[in-house]
Amino acid sequence: MPRPLNKDEEERLGRLAQEWDRLYLSLRTAPVAKKIQAFRQLEKRFLKEMRTAAGKRQVQRRLTGAFLMETCAGPWRRFSPYLRRMERLGYSSMDDRLLVCGWAAQAARGSPAGLRRTAALIADFERRARIKPPHPAAREQVEFSLARAKSLIGLDTEVAE
């Protein structure tokens, strides 16, 4: 099990979130390539500040989430390298897995490889959710998000009897 972050690194992650928010707002109308470049610079700076492997990995996960969010509206080939990166780093939570399912469904349009990969992500999420079901208060939102992702990739075409 990974070692928890120390108080100093938790504070750095809080600063990262604040700086990311400011950067995101300042670049809201910028092209995706410019946003990615700016997020990479932010990541590089914060990776230098983190002292532990767990802290560095958390910075990478958070910025990879930003990369995925920014590239999901574009083609699969732009999105997929960041998906592979997130899978390599590991997901922080089931919430992150669910977000990635939705983003992948958006990015998969028009890509047979993207559709297959997204269907596999959704199936993996559902399998994990059966093992450890979401909190009852979140269940409706999880079901809605999964249904939307399935709809985007055409998995909702099955006729319910």
Side-chain angles (χ1 to χ4, degrees), residues 44-61:
K44 187 176 182 180
R45 188 163 50 84
F46 271 88
L47 284 174
K48 287 180 182 177
E49 290 185 27
M50 299 308 266
R51 300 291 176 233
T52 66
K56 290 178 185 208
R57 184 166 292 229
Q58 196 61 10
V59 167
Q60 290 173 319
R61 281 184 186 129

Side-chain angles (χ1 to χ4, degrees), residues 51-107:
R51 300 291 176 233
T52 66
K56 290 178 185 208
R57 184 166 292 229
Q58 196 61 10
V59 167
Q60 290 173 319
R61 281 184 186 129
R62 290 186 185 192
L63 270 296
T64 301
F67 298 145
L68 287 166
M69 182 178 67
E70 288 303 320
T71 59
C72 71
W76 181 257
R77 70 181 182 281
R78 180 180 270 178
F79 178 84
S80 63
Y82 299 112
L83 175 60
R84 286 190 301 273
R85 183 181 193 215
M86 181 61 88
E87 290 173 330
R88 188 179 68 248
L89 292 168
Y91 297 92
S92 296
S93 67
M94 286 294 282
D95 292 339
D96 287 346
R97 283 182 188 278
L98 184 58
L99 276 172
V100 170
C101 286
W103 291 330
Q106 287 180 278

Side-chain angles (χ1 to χ4, degrees), residues 98 125-126 129 134-136 138-151:
L98 184 58
F125 180 88
E126 290 176 326
H135 189 276
R139 194 165 291 138
E140 185 178 331
Q141 183 63 36
V142 168
E143 290 171 4
F144 174 80
S145 297
L146 280 175
R148 182 173 184 280
K150 287 178 177 181
S151 173

